[in-house]
Amino acid sequence: QVQLVESGGGLVQAGASLRLSCAASGGTFSSYAMGWFRQAPGKEREFVAAISRGGHYTRYSDSVKGRFTISRDNAKITVYLQMNSLKPEDTAVYYCAAGPDKYGMGYTQAPVYDYWGQGTQVTVSS
């Protein structure tokens, strides 16, 4: 069983940066693909970014590509999401997720992920 705890959310102005962290416990962190998803009020949860178990492959949604960077530190069993040039449309609850990375490529699909954190709120004002 893997427990995930997100942190780093907050209220910022458009154009600012935030770095989200997701600390994991339990399980074998280095065997899991890690992903970030978000859900805005009244909208479905959507994929944001993913990273393979070894950190060699990353994937991003088109809406954040070039602004967000996902990374992981397997020694610290933590995954990060660096968010730059934030926009009001980035406002959402951000969730960290972990799932078995069978092929070492990372995944964009939510059903692949078995474990989810409680989420951290990011609010971007205009």
Side-chain angles (χ1 to χ4, degrees), residues 1-125:
Q1 190 78 9
V2 177
Q3 291 80 43
L4 303 171
V5 179
E6 303 96 335
S7 62
L11 170 64
V12 296
Q13 291 188 328
S17 298
L18 279 176
R19 188 176 80 155
L20 304 183
S21 298
C22 173
S25 60
T28 304
F29 182 76
S30 60
S31 70
Y32 289 102
M34 300 298 296
W36 286 97
F37 293 76
R38 67 187 182 187
Q39 187 166 18
K43 295 187 177 181
E44 293 187 353
R45 181 177 55 191
E46 65 172 354
F47 167 75
V48 176
I51 189 165
S52 62
R53 62 177 186 256
H56 302 297
Y57 296 95
T58 56
R59 300 170 185 261
Y60 298 94
S61 67
D62 289 341
S63 62
V64 307
K65 196 173 296 182
R67 299 187 298 123
F68 291 11
T69 302
I70 188 171
S71 62
R72 67 189 295 162
D73 186 333
N74 285 350
K76 294 183 178 180
I77 54 174
T78 301
V79 64
Y80 305 96
L81 185 68
Q82 177 67 43
M83 306 186 295
N84 298 329
S85 303
L86 282 161
K87 304 175 181 180
E89 50 264 44
D90 294 318
T91 294
V93 177
Y94 283 70
Y95 298 92
C96 172
D101 196 355
K102 183 177 180 180
Y103 300 107
M105 301 290 290
Y107 302 98
T108 63
Q109 302 92 344
V112 173
Y113 294 89
D114 295 330
Y115 307 102
W116 294 80
Q118 293 299 307
T120 185
Q121 176 71 46
V122 172
T123 304
V124 185
S125 63

